Amino acid sequence: QPLAPLQYCKLSLCVLHGREAPRLFVIEHGDGAGHRMKNILDGIATAAKNRMNFGGLMPVGNIVTEHGHNFRSLVDGFFGYGASSELFVGRAPEFAAKFKSVRDLEINRKDVKNETNVYLPAANEWWYDHKVPASLYYPAGLRTALSQKLTLRPLVFKLGVPAVAIHVRRGDLKRSHARATPDAYYYNLVELIRKYAPNSDVHVWSSLQSYSAEVEQNIQHWSSADFDGYRERGMTVHLDDQTLLDPWANLARANILVMSTSAFSYVPAVLNLNCVIFPGNIVRPLDGWINGKEKDKALDKKLAGCIERGTASVGSAPPAGTVPAEGGQVAVAAPDGGAGPPRAPPLTVDFAGLGSVSFHGKDAPRLFVLEPDDGAGHRMKIVLDGMATAVRNSMNFGGVVGAESAVTEHGVDFRTLTDSFFGRGASRELFVAKGTKFSADFANVADLEKHR
């Protein structure tokens, strides 16, 4: 039987230095989601630093983590639909070289030729040379690119006030474990944060669920009551989210992120360009991270600067409106002022379900626009302007009421263009096939914002 063709990652986040550059492969870890994802991010960062592309991962036999999460589904949610089929290789390539560590790779990098495959099982020790700035591995541009899909997920924070996200590792740790950082550490940090940002919206993410093997034995080390101290101090507690993507998205985008001692915290911290506070045990923090276990006076001074940097953009989003009621459907004319109400009579509710259009939670009003019947540029402009208008007005983007013809005046199939632009199957989500009952119709954006 012939061998399957050589597979390597062709996603834009993998092709970092031109298609002729060497390809770096790492191994998938076999434990928790945090450690597995951390090796992907560190692998990509190591490839970027060393003028290589990221070839992908050699998969382990079990795609389910030790906590029971399907890691392929998490990867697709993290990097985009179908990413797992690109990142996890089906057949091991022929490696021109194998390296035991990042140090070993970098010593021998000059001998690695273009268009070859090299193997580095774990990239977690990229930080070995403290004279090399961390930003050479994790520059801001790369961190932003890695977070692109997560930024499309809805957040839980209040608008217009500093968002503080805390990860407290509990579930799989016994109470006596050294990584079970005491509650008092987090209480003290929140008190200091509120000194500089008194109106902060503070959320805590954690888990009660332990390893799958312990769950099967009904072993649980923690209870919801163990988080009452956080609740009593005015923090919102989230336990065992349905998907790990939600805590990751909120932690990555918070104005202030307080990490725990875990790879799970490391993942969103790498993506967060605001204020990140780590619990003193990271060998090589990224630029701008501050140590939450420093002495009070030193911590106070650094924290003030960190919070100022992290909250610089707070208040740029508009406050939530009252018209129409939450969950309502809204029809609006083309954002550039063109007229036209929805054409079809109301039959069933049909709205876009893409993550890229759910900006403000599932209960936010949905904004629909009308597809013009001219060229591809104007049609796409209406879609983009509609999304931007929805974001500006604390709404989700419901979709596009389709034109009579999907073919532009220049003979281009706009549905095919939409799929290429937003991703496979996007046109089925974005274009409303049947009429929707609208709570309100607006002639233009000014009219919408007047009544929002």
Side-chain angles (χ1 to χ4, degrees), residues 245-301:
L245 297 171
D246 288 336
W248 271 342
N250 282 275
L251 292 161
R253 295 173 64 192
N255 300 114
I256 303 162
L257 165 58
V258 180
M259 299 173 63
S260 68
T261 306
S262 72
F264 186 87
S265 275
Y266 177 93
V267 170
V270 161
L271 309 181
N272 192 307
L273 299 179
N274 297 316
C275 175
V276 176
I277 305 168
F278 67 95
N281 59 342
I282 293 180
V283 178
R284 189 70 181 282
L286 298 195
D287 301 341
W289 291 10
I290 64 171
N291 184 353
K293 291 194 173 181
E294 286 197 30
K295 299 296 183 180
D296 286 347
K297 288 185 178 179
L299 175 61
D300 193 280
K301 183 177 180 180

Side-chain angles (χ1 to χ4, degrees), residues 112-394:
V112 177
K113 297 179 180 179
N114 280 349
E115 299 184 354
T116 59
N117 304 305
V118 300
Y119 184 47
L120 172 70
N124 56 298
E125 293 185 357
W126 59 266
W127 42 260
Y128 73 93
D129 188 347
H130 288 262
K131 296 189 294 295
V132 177
S135 58
L136 291 184
Y137 291 89
Y138 277 110
L142 177 61
R143 294 162 69 184
T144 299
L146 292 171
S147 67
Q148 206 166 38
K149 296 301 180 182
L150 276 189
T151 62
L152 304 176
R153 301 189 70 84
L155 304 181
V156 300
F157 305 115
K158 296 176 183 177
L159 294 176
V161 298
V164 180
I166 303 172
H167 180 237
V168 179
R169 184 175 180 180
R170 289 294 183 259
D172 58 1
L173 300 179
K174 295 181 180 179
R175 292 174 179 268
S176 59
H177 200 289
R179 291 189 176 187
T181 305
D183 296 327
Y185 165 78
Y186 297 105
Y187 297 162
N188 180 60
L189 272 179
V190 170
E191 185 177 341
L192 287 173
I193 290 169
R194 284 173 169 163
K195 174 182 174 182
Y196 295 103
N199 60 339
S200 296
D201 184 24
V202 184
H203 290 252
V204 176
W205 277 270
S206 191
S207 175
L208 305 180
Q209 183 175 310
S210 185
Y211 300 111
S212 298
E214 291 192 333
V215 170
E216 291 176 1
Q217 301 174 56
N218 294 318
I219 296 174
Q220 185 170 304
H221 306 292
W222 306 86
S223 71
S224 179
D226 290 315
F227 295 86
D228 285 346
Y230 296 91
R231 299 184 181 103
E232 291 165 2
R233 289 165 172 80
M235 306 179 216
T236 303
V237 176
H238 306 265
L239 299 174
D240 296 300
D241 291 74
Q242 187 173 1
T243 172
L244 300 181
L245 297 171
D246 288 336
W248 271 342
N250 282 275
L251 292 161
R253 295 173 64 192
N255 300 114
I256 303 162
L257 165 58
V258 180
M259 299 173 63
S260 68
T261 306
S262 72
F264 186 87
S265 275
Y266 177 93
V267 170
V270 161
L271 309 181
N272 192 307
L273 299 179
N274 297 316
C275 175
V276 176
I277 305 168
F278 67 95
N281 59 342
I282 293 180
V283 178
R284 189 70 181 282
L286 298 195
D287 301 341
W289 291 10
I290 64 171
N291 184 353
K293 291 194 173 181
E294 286 197 30
K295 299 296 183 180
D296 286 347
K297 288 185 178 179
L299 175 61
D300 193 280
K301 183 177 180 180
K302 291 181 180 178
L303 192 60
C306 190
I307 291 174
E308 182 179 6
R309 181 179 69 253
T311 60
S313 63
V314 171
S316 59
T322 56
V323 179
E326 293 301 301
Q329 310 285 332
V330 179
V332 65
D336 61 356
R343 298 169 181 166
L347 296 173
T348 61
V349 175
D350 183 12
F351 56 89
L354 294 175
S356 58
V357 297
S358 183
F359 303 117
H360 296 286
K362 292 183 179 180
D363 58 346
R366 293 180 282 268
L367 177 68
F368 292 78
V369 297
L370 179 67
E371 179 185 18
D373 57 3
D374 50 2
H378 192 217
R379 294 188 190 213
M380 189 62 76
K381 179 180 184 296
I382 295 305
V383 177
L384 301 180
D385 286 351
M387 291 180 181
T389 300
V391 172
R392 165 78 172 82
N393 288 281
S394 304

